[in-house]
Amino acid sequence: MAAGAGDAEFGSDAGFCRFRDWFGRAAPALVVVLGSGLGEVALRAGARRLPYGDVLPWVTEHGDAVAGHDRCYVALDSPRGAVLYLQGRLHTYEGLDCRAAVQPLAYALQLRPECVLITNAAGCLREDWHPGELMLIRDHINLLGDSPLRGGGDPLGARGSRFVDMTMAYDSALRGLAMEWGGSHPEVAGVLREGVYAAVQGPQYETPSEIRMLRMFGADAVGMSTVPEVILCRAFSRRVMGLSVLTNWAAGVGRAETLDHAAVLGMTHAASTAVADLIEWLLPRLRSEKG
Ligand code: HPA
């Protein structure tokens, strides 16, 4: 059993009430989970911050954050709609089960956002794509051996069936919007891909043989996150978009050299401007899509 995972009354507990008072009663137009090194996307004038540990104390007790993950909610009010960022995530490779790792997101989903954008850093499995490019996630392969919906009761407050349909987990209309955004930006147009994301446990990077296996499975990118969050969003019936920053060639692919986290962070840092621009572009369109 992982830290914090046993709350019987999730969504009415003191931590959640504090979180909701901090954010305000209105639902966010968009919740954004910022992956490794993308934290600066939320650095905006007027942003309000709340460390996860202030409302989920076990998060602080669990140990230091992974580099590139601040473990902080950031709220940004704008006339285009409020955005709630999760600046940094918890990972299963930190010794948490999926259910605990998604608790900060479960609080955010209780606010019933219109849509959720989940971002990550990922290794590129295709020789015809390149590090530095972006991939909209069309589908995923869960190799974590775990799910946030595993276990008894409804500890994350989704109030839905545990047998969640994942056939169209990644919203095709949202992907269409993102493609439109790509098309209107010459510098992005040729490097915005669509593909399948495989989630592995890590934290070690893969061997070339493992990467060949993932390629045979149909994966285009590999990472250590995102899938538990997408499953949870679907349990809450939220619309989801997934975006990978392809930070490196996966082991044995292309001109793969040795892999390291600092280089991964450098690449996501470079992609931050594009991700921030996509969010700005999406906001008014989410609203008009809602009609
Ligand atoms: N493998 C797994 N996770 C990753 C990678 C990778 O190559 N790059 C960034 N996250």
Side-chain angles (χ1 to χ4, degrees):
M1 186 73 154
D7 303 333
E9 304 237 353
F10 194 86
S12 58
D13 56 292
F16 175 72
C17 294
R18 184 147 179 232
F19 166 74
R20 194 190 46 207
D21 290 346
W22 167 79
F23 185 75
R25 295 266 159 181
L30 186 64
V31 164
V32 183
V33 180
L34 293 170
S36 298
L38 287 168
E40 69 190 76
V41 171
L43 297 181
R44 300 296 181 87
R48 298 179 289 121
R49 293 167 63 83
L50 178 74
Y52 300 158
D54 282 9
V55 290
L56 292 164
W58 66 264
V59 171
T60 317
E61 286 151 23
H62 184 67
D64 293 341
V66 175
H69 293 268
D70 277 359
R71 293 184 176 172
C72 208
Y73 292 108
V74 180
L76 201 67
D77 303 309
S78 102
R80 296 176 156 196
V83 183
L84 174 60
Y85 294 94
L86 274 71
Q87 199 181 34
R89 55 163 55 95
L90 304 165
H91 304 82
T92 52
Y93 64 68
E94 293 172 64
L96 300 167
D97 66 20
C98 271
R99 191 192 272 193
V102 299
Q103 280 204 5
L105 178 62
Y107 271 7
L109 296 179
Q110 295 281 346
L111 301 176
R112 304 272 149 194
E114 199 55 42
C115 301
V116 184
L117 168 61
I118 301 184
T119 65
N120 61 46
C124 178
L125 267 60
R126 293 179 58 138
E127 306 244 352
D128 53 339
W129 295 357
H130 296 89
E133 298 182 348
L134 302 174
M135 185 189 88
L136 288 165
I137 305 178
R138 188 178 60 234
D139 201 355
H140 72 223
I141 301 171
N142 182 4
L143 296 171
L144 295 172
D146 194 6
S147 160
L149 309 181
R150 203 164 71 89
D154 183 24
L156 297 172
R159 296 197 192 91
S161 161
R162 72 171 65 198
F163 302 109
V164 171
D165 180 12
M166 297 296 289
T167 315
M168 288 180 286
Y170 297 84
D171 192 280
S172 59
L174 290 180
R175 253 185 294 136
L177 274 181
M179 277 297 183
E180 220 181 284
W181 164 77
S184 65
H185 288 64
E187 71 284 6
V188 177
V191 295
L192 183 60
R193 314 292 188 181
E194 264 191 81
V196 176
Y197 174 88
V200 295
Q201 277 195 343
Q204 74 289 344
Y205 292 113
E206 302 69 38
T207 64
S209 299
E210 287 166 342
I211 292 298
R212 275 196 300 279
M213 176 193 75
L214 294 177
R215 196 73 197 107
M216 283 191 280
F217 281 4
D220 300 298
V222 58
M224 305 173 194
S225 67
T226 300
V227 163
E229 294 151 356
V230 172
I231 294 170
L232 188 69
C233 288
R234 297 309 299 145
F236 273 83
S237 305
R238 299 300 93 189
R239 297 172 66 199
V240 191
M241 182 190 298
L243 182 71
S244 296
V245 178
L246 302 175
T247 51
N248 55 280
W249 297 109
V253 178
R255 288 182 300 284
E257 289 160 11
T258 50
L259 303 178
D260 78 275
H261 190 56
V264 165
L265 292 183
M267 289 299 276
T268 44
H269 179 76
S272 292
T273 315
V275 175
D277 191 77
L278 169 64
I279 293 166
E280 282 297 308
W281 193 91
L282 278 176
L283 270 178
R285 290 164 176 86
L286 294 178
R287 190 177 281 174
S288 57
E289 250 215 335
K290 198 178 152 195

